[in-house]
Amino acid sequence: MSSKKQPINFLNIPLLKRFLKSPFYPRIFQWITVLVFGVIMVETLAGPTNVGENFGSAATWVLWWPLIPFFFFLLGRFWCGICPFAWVSDLTQKLFGANMKVPKFIRKYGLWIIDITFILITWSDHIWGIVESPRGSGTLLLLILGGVMVSALLFERRTWCRYLCFLGSLSGNYSRSGMLELRADKETCKTCKTRDCYKGSSKAPGCPMFEFPMAMENNANCNLCGNCIKSCPHDSIRLTPRKPTSEFWSMTRAHFEESFLAIVIVGIVFVQNITMLDFYPSFLKWVEQTLGIANQDIAFTILFIIAMATPVLLLFAATAISKRFTGETLRNAFARFGYAVIPLDLASHMAHNLFHLLAEGKDTYYTFMGLFGVHLEGSSSFVADPIIQIMQYFLVIAGTLGSLYTAYRIARKNYGVSKALSVSMPYLAVILLFGILNFLTFTVRMAMRM
C-alpha cells in the first residue's frame, strides 16, 4: 500500500535550520532594513523636493513597493518579519511597553480598520500626490511610525502588525496565494505540554502575531519570524513548498472582511492602472463635464467609489445566481468565493508594479549615487517596453487562470464534483470579465512615477 508523498521540509536542510535557529535570524535582515529605512526617512523629509532626485522616494515607490507582491507570492509574509516597523515595535515594547491585552474592539474590527485605512491611503495618494512628493511620502512614514510606537507602548506583542497595519490584510491575502507555508505537525503537538511556540521560552519570545502553529490553517498571519522554530522543544515545525492558491481550496473558515478587501482591490488596481495612462487627464475632464462638476478631486472620488463598488456588486450578483444551487446565505457564499479573486489581484498588482520596477528601476541607483554627490544620467529602464508589456500580459493571464481554477476548486470542495461547475459558473464569468479589463489596461503604456 503506497503512502502519500510528504512535501519537502526545508528545515531538513541542516545549514538553513541552523541559521533559522540562530540569533542572527531575522536580526541580520532587520539591521539592513532599519538602516535603509533610516536613510529613506532622512531623504524624504530633508532631501531634494524633486521626486526624480530623491533616493527615499525612488527606494520606496520604484523598488520596495513593486517588489512587495513578489515577496508575498514567493515567501509569504517574510517581509513582515524583517520590516523595520516590526523592529521598532519590538524595541519600543521591550523598553517602555505596558504589555496590555489587545482590546476586544481591535481584535474584532481590526480587519475592517485595515481595510478602511488602505482605501483611504490609496485615495489620498491620488488627491494629494503622496507618491510624487518626497515630503508626502516622509509624512506618511512618520504617521505609520507613530502608530507603531503608540501601539507598542500600550499593547502586547505586535498588535500593530496583526490588527492595524494598513498592509496587514493585503499581505495576508497575497501570502495565502503563495508558494511557501509554515505549519506544525499536529500529531507531535498533541503530546506537547509546554506550548512554547505560543508562550515563548528562553530560546525565543512567543509568536508576535498571536498565532498557535498547531492550529494554523492559513498564511494570513505568519510572518516567518522563526520564533516557533527556535522555541519548539519537539522539532514539530515544518517549512514546506506548496502549489500556489492551494490554501483557498482547503480552507474551513472564510472571513467576510478579507474577501471584501480582495474584491475592492480589483477596482483599486484597475483605477491605479487607468490613472497612469496617457488618456486619463482628458477622461477625467470628460467626467467633470458630464457630471457638471468643476472639481477634479470630487470627480476622481466618484470614479474611485464606482471602481470599488462595481466588483463588489458583480460578485454579489454572481453569489445571488449561484445561491440557487447551494442554498447558502449571501454573506457566507460571498465570503468564501471572494478569495477566488486574490490570484488575479496579486497578478495585476505585480503587472502594474513590474512597469515601475523595470522601466524606472535604474533611478534608484542614480538617486543613491546622488547621496554621495555623484550626478548620473541615462536611461532609467532595465528592459524595453515591449518586453515589459509581454511580461504584464503573462502575469494577468496567469492570475486570471489562477482565479478561475480557484473558484472552481472552492465550489468542488464545498458542494461536490457534480455541482462544482454550476455553482462556480457565475463567478467564473465575473472573474473572466475582471481579467479581460485588466488585460486591456496593459495594452497602453503607463506613465512613470519618477
Side-chain angles (χ1 to χ4, degrees):
M1 183 177 178
S2 62
S3 59
K4 185 178 179 181
K5 185 179 179 181
Q6 294 298 314
I8 298 169
N9 179 12
F10 292 127
L11 294 181
N12 287 334
I13 302 173
L15 187 62
L16 178 61
K17 186 174 183 179
R18 282 200 300 271
F19 175 60
L20 295 179
K21 284 198 165 193
S22 76
F24 294 105
Y25 179 82
R27 289 302 180 200
I28 191 170
F29 297 111
Q30 286 183 322
W31 295 334
I32 296 170
T33 60
V34 168
L35 176 62
V36 174
F37 174 71
V39 174
I40 288 173
M41 286 293 293
V42 172
E43 268 289 282
T44 53
L45 292 172
T49 55
N50 184 342
V51 69
E53 300 173 358
N54 193 288
F55 171 72
S57 291
T60 302
W61 304 116
V62 175
L63 185 63
W64 171 76
W65 184 246
L67 285 176
I68 274 289
F70 293 93
F71 263 105
F72 295 144
F73 180 69
L74 296 173
L75 300 172
R77 288 187 68 167
F78 169 71
W79 165 258
C80 298
I82 65 171
C83 173
F85 291 120
W87 180 87
V88 170
S89 176
D90 291 347
L91 183 63
T92 303
Q93 192 174 75
K94 182 179 180 180
L95 296 176
F96 310 107
N99 286 304
M100 294 189 294
K101 295 290 183 184
V102 183
K104 184 178 179 181
F105 174 83
I106 292 179
R107 285 188 280 113
K108 185 175 182 180
Y109 296 107
L111 280 174
W112 283 116
I113 295 171
I114 288 171
D115 290 357
I116 292 169
T117 304
F118 182 81
I119 291 169
L120 287 176
I121 289 175
T122 305
W123 171 81
S124 64
D125 173 38
H126 288 279
I127 298 298
W128 292 301
I130 294 173
V131 172
E132 289 78 19
S133 165
R135 300 297 182 266
S137 298
T139 301
L140 175 62
L141 292 174
L142 271 181
L143 289 172
I144 295 171
L145 183 62
V148 170
M149 295 183 72
V150 170
S151 174
L153 283 169
L154 296 175
F155 307 122
E156 62 180 338
R157 309 198 187 201
R158 292 181 185 171
T159 296
W160 175 270
C161 304
R162 172 66 191 260
Y163 296 108
L164 298 171
C165 176
F166 80 96
L167 272 179
S169 190
L170 180 72
S171 60
N173 276 354
Y174 283 178
S175 64
R176 295 179 74 160
S177 295
M179 301 172 63
L180 186 69
E181 70 175 19
L182 182 147
R183 298 288 187 271
D185 185 312
K186 294 186 178 181
E187 292 302 315
T188 303
C189 293
K190 284 180 181 178
T191 63
C192 179
K193 305 297 183 184
T194 67
R195 301 296 191 254
D196 287 347
C197 58
Y198 182 79
K199 297 177 182 178
S201 69
S202 59
K203 297 178 180 178
C207 176
M209 299 292 284
F210 304 89
E211 284 290 284
F212 183 22
M214 178 184 177
M216 279 175 55
E217 292 185 345
N218 60 64
N219 273 16
N221 296 306
C222 175
N223 62 11
L224 296 176
C225 66
N227 285 3
C228 59
I229 297 173
K230 293 179 173 69
S231 60
C232 177
H234 307 295
D235 215 20
S236 173
I237 307 301
R238 303 286 182 265
L239 190 62
T240 59
R242 64 180 185 181
K243 297 176 182 177
T245 77
S246 59
E247 185 172 297
F248 301 123
W249 315 340
S250 57
M251 64 183 182
T252 56
R253 289 176 295 177
H255 296 280
F256 186 87
E257 309 94 310
E258 292 176 344
S259 287
F260 178 82
L261 181 63
I263 297 163
V264 163
I265 286 175
V266 173
I268 289 178
V269 172
F270 187 73
V271 166
Q272 297 279 52
N273 291 344
I274 291 294
T275 56
M276 302 198 76
L277 301 182
D278 290 338
F279 66 80
Y280 173 71
S282 57
F283 173 69
L284 187 62
K285 193 68 179 176
W286 175 81
V287 171
E288 291 179 49
Q289 294 172 350
T290 303
L291 298 178
I293 298 171
N295 186 305
Q296 69 174 15
D297 291 343
I298 295 175
F300 169 76
T301 301
I302 293 172
L303 285 176
F304 190 65
I305 293 171
I306 292 173
M308 290 189 298
T310 301
V312 174
L313 293 175
L314 287 174
L315 255 293
F316 262 118
T319 303
I321 296 170
S322 178
K323 186 176 179 292
R324 295 181 303 169
F325 305 100
T326 65
E328 266 199 296
T329 64
L330 277 173
R331 181 185 176 88
N332 288 344
F334 180 90
R336 178 177 291 118
F337 282 95
Y339 289 98
V341 304
I342 292 176
L344 178 57
D345 280 346
L346 178 57
S348 299
H349 195 164
M350 285 178 173
H352 176 96
N353 285 350
L354 194 67
F355 174 81
H356 299 297
L357 182 65
L358 297 181
E360 303 180 80
K362 287 184 181 178
D363 284 330
T364 306
Y365 172 68
Y366 296 156
T367 54
F368 176 74
M369 294 305 295
L371 296 176
F372 306 98
V374 178
H375 180 70
L376 297 175
E377 290 184 355
S379 171
S380 62
S381 63
F382 286 110
V383 296
D385 285 357
I387 297 175
I388 298 174
Q389 203 167 34
I390 290 171
M391 295 168 73
Q392 289 175 318
Y393 292 158
F394 172 80
L395 284 169
V396 172
I397 291 171
T400 303
L401 293 175
S403 282
L404 291 171
Y405 187 61
T406 299
Y408 173 77
R409 287 298 296 264
I410 290 173
R412 194 173 83 172
K413 177 189 178 292
N414 289 278
Y415 310 108
V417 176
S418 61
K419 285 187 175 182
L421 193 58
S422 55
V423 169
S424 62
M425 188 59 72
Y427 299 104
L428 300 181
V430 171
I431 289 169
L432 186 60
L433 175 63
F434 294 159
I436 292 171
L437 288 175
N438 271 284
F439 186 92
L440 291 175
T441 62
F442 292 113
T443 61
V444 182
R445 190 181 190 276
M446 294 165 55
M448 293 190 178
R449 280 180 175 151
M450 297 297 288

